[in-house]
Amino acid sequence: MRVLAEHPGASMAEIAKASGLVRATLYRHFDSREDLVRAIQGQATEAGAAALAAADIGAGDAASALRRAIRALVGVGSRYRLLAQEPALDPTRLEREPAVASRLIALIERGQREGDLRDDLPVPWIVSVLAALLVVALREMEAERLTRDQAAEQVASTLLEGLAARRAPDR
């Protein structure tokens, strides 16, 4: 991860050398650079699921829980920043990761049911928007334009202000 984070275009030979391995050893574990990146993505997904569990997103109102979820995911992303550099990084990938997506979907559905979040937007859309915002936040952190806390706050405020339930004006 360190080699790829510092040198996004590093070849398998460069990764092996910087890791103190011979190329054959690296290839025994990963058939290609893409396989290595997929393995790292898998680790990141597992870490994301664990972070969401630790964030206790089932507690409190949905907006506060979503804010905690975002902080947890940005925290994981800060450890896996190299993934933000990957040209193949697909924001819709989050939807295909049930360990993470199912928790977010349940939280968003709860917020819509309880009237905390807009219910006129489809849940898959909201998950995709969240994923895209997280990708942008990771890239901004990598470029050192945002700290981890700033990134989490900007993702949360952008998403939550757009998702705030529309209330009828007081008469």
Side-chain angles (χ1 to χ4, degrees):
M1 282 181 13
R2 180 187 52 77
V3 173
L4 287 172
E6 292 172 4
H7 307 287
S11 68
M12 288 290 273
E14 292 167 324
I15 294 166
K17 182 178 179 184
S19 301
L21 303 169
V22 293
R23 197 170 65 187
T25 301
L26 189 58
Y27 274 109
R28 260 184 250 138
H29 296 281
F30 306 101
D31 291 335
S32 66
R33 184 182 185 284
E34 292 74 27
D35 285 345
L36 173 62
V37 170
R38 271 193 295 279
I40 294 168
Q41 287 173 332
Q43 281 183 325
T45 298
E46 289 174 15
L52 287 177
D56 194 21
I57 62 174
D61 66 277
S64 297
L66 193 51
R67 191 173 289 279
R68 288 193 308 275
I70 290 166
R71 279 198 180 286
L73 293 173
V74 168
V76 169
S78 71
R79 292 191 305 271
Y80 291 90
R81 284 188 191 182
L82 75 101
L83 296 178
Q85 300 168 350
E86 286 301 310
L89 185 62
D90 176 8
T92 63
R93 184 176 175 277
L94 182 61
E95 295 172 43
R96 298 186 307 270
E97 299 296 346
V100 174
S102 63
R103 288 181 169 99
L104 294 174
I105 288 167
L107 173 57
I108 293 163
E109 288 173 342
R110 178 169 63 94
Q112 289 178 327
R113 255 189 335 271
E114 294 173 357
D116 292 329
L117 303 177
R118 290 174 56 175
D119 61 2
D120 62 325
L121 295 173
V123 173
W125 168 259
I126 295 169
V127 172
S128 292
V129 168
L130 172 57
L133 287 170
L134 290 168
V135 168
V136 171
L138 291 178
R139 289 182 175 154
E140 290 298 298
M141 288 166 51
E142 185 60 30
E144 298 182 352
R145 289 187 286 262
L146 292 176
T147 65
R148 185 169 82 181
D149 288 342
Q150 289 169 331
E153 181 52 37
Q154 288 191 22
V155 169
S157 65
T158 300
L159 186 70
L160 289 171
E161 288 173 25
L163 285 180
R166 295 180 176 166
R167 310 256 186 240
D170 292 337
R171 295 190 185 250

